[in-house]
Amino acid sequence: MPELPDVQVFKQLLDKNALGKRVAKTQVRSPELLEGTTAATLERRLKRRRLTRSARHGKFLFARIGGEGSWLVLHFGMAGFLKFFTNRSQVPKHTQLLLQFTNGAQLAYDCRRKLGEIGLAKSIGGFVRNRELGIDPFDPKFKLAAFREILSDSRGTVKSMLMDQSRLAGIGNVYSDEILFRCGIHPKTKANELSSRNERRLFKAVKAVLRTAIRCKADPARFPNSYLLPHREKNGQCPRCGRKLRQIKVGGRTTFYCAKDQKRR
DNA sequence: ACATTGACCTGAGAGC
DNA sequence: TGCTCTCAGGTCAATG
């Protein structure tokens, strides 16, 4: 679930409910999710401080603690999410990090499969460099020319390229399928063999699909029926031509596409 | 440099 | 109902 649009929705939730509130207490349930820090350090950094702003890069969410120089970093793995609530009985089942604010409200980071990550960073730029993350698709510097360069540098399939966090940060299995569906490109097409026209269409589709997904709150039930996601299931049908969608593996990941509408080259 | 596989971790859902 | 099996939207490391 948690690809760029999902994380952007978590960011909106954080902005709306948690920014400006003062942390009274923190709780870490599974220390193994902590990356390069400890529960005690996290508590010391957060306690009595406010979350002052937020940011997102790819699938990572950042919340600045107090003034400059300290950010809480969250990655949601395969099943993580954020929940904000005011009633104690609403604590989600697999809460791994709980922030209790001085006004009684709480923010929970829930991660059932424990494949996520909780950490601290001094700066976002430093973190991004450290982790060798590629450009975020909503970075103003992400322009067609930059994308063409990424494509021509990639010798593998276009789907693998889209999901490669060190080239372009934020796209995962679901949205790579959606983007390729939108522009009629077969997921196994070699990234560096796309026509100039398809490079351009792919570039536009990356932005358009992610924007739409965010607008739909990354909730498949809200997606336009013309999108792949509502039909992305075993025996699902192509919303364009009605044919049964193909289900294959690309780069080891389950991939859905329409054999009629998505041809190689 | 790329594809493939398995590991990480846990639960949902299918099939018996 | 309960057991076992398979699979899942992320990432990393080992291997070919």
Side-chain angles (χ1 to χ4, degrees), chain A residues 156-255:
Chain A
T157 64
V158 64
K159 164 143 171 158
S160 301
M161 179 262 117
L162 288 173
M163 291 201 302
D164 183 344
Q165 302 301 300
S166 70
R167 299 185 198 269
L168 190 57
I171 298 168
N173 199 28
V174 166
Y175 289 105
S176 58
D177 279 4
E178 190 70 65
I179 289 161
L180 293 167
F181 177 75
R182 180 180 177 91
C183 43
I185 296 174
H186 191 290
K188 282 194 171 175
T189 309
K190 298 275 182 235
N192 59 10
E193 290 177 3
L194 288 172
S195 65
S196 178
R197 175 168 172 266
N198 273 346
E199 287 179 336
R200 173 186 293 273
R201 294 174 66 222
L202 188 59
F203 175 73
K204 300 218 178 233
V206 165
K207 299 197 176 207
V209 164
L210 296 176
R211 256 198 314 269
T212 300
I214 293 165
R215 206 170 46 237
C216 296
K217 302 283 174 206
D219 174 0
R222 299 187 193 216
F223 271 62
N225 189 55
S226 60
Y227 270 58
L228 179 64
L229 187 45
H231 312 275
R232 200 177 181 285
E233 59 191 7
K234 208 170 176 11
N235 297 321
Q237 292 181 337
C238 171
R240 250 182 237 143
C241 70
R243 287 178 172 76
K244 191 177 146 186
L245 294 169
R246 294 280 172 88
Q247 188 176 342
I248 59 173
K249 295 274 182 193
V250 180
R253 313 300 306 280
T254 302
T255 300

Side-chain angles (χ1 to χ4, degrees), chain A residues 92-144:
Chain A
K93 190 165 175 197
H94 306 285
T95 296
Q96 309 298 352
L97 174 66
L98 189 63
L99 302 186
Q100 297 177 253
F101 300 101
T102 50
N103 71 346
Q106 307 190 47
L107 183 71
Y109 162 85
D110 182 299
C111 196
R112 174 158 56 78
R113 275 173 224 160
K114 295 191 183 174
L115 295 174
E117 175 182 334
I118 304 167
L120 292 169
K122 290 198 181 79
S123 78
I124 295 175
F127 181 87
V128 166
R129 247 170 286 127
N130 241 304
R131 304 295 284 258
E132 300 184 333
L133 294 176
I135 192 166
D136 187 276
F138 291 117
D139 185 322
K141 288 198 286 294
F142 181 60
K143 297 225 169 65
L144 178 58

Side-chain angles (χ1 to χ4, degrees), chain A residues 3-13 56 58 138 214:
Chain A
E3 303 181 32
L4 184 155
D6 309 86
V7 178
Q8 184 67 25
V9 173
F10 300 151
K11 178 181 186 296
Q12 291 169 358
L13 181 134
R56 183 193 53 69
F138 291 117
I214 293 165

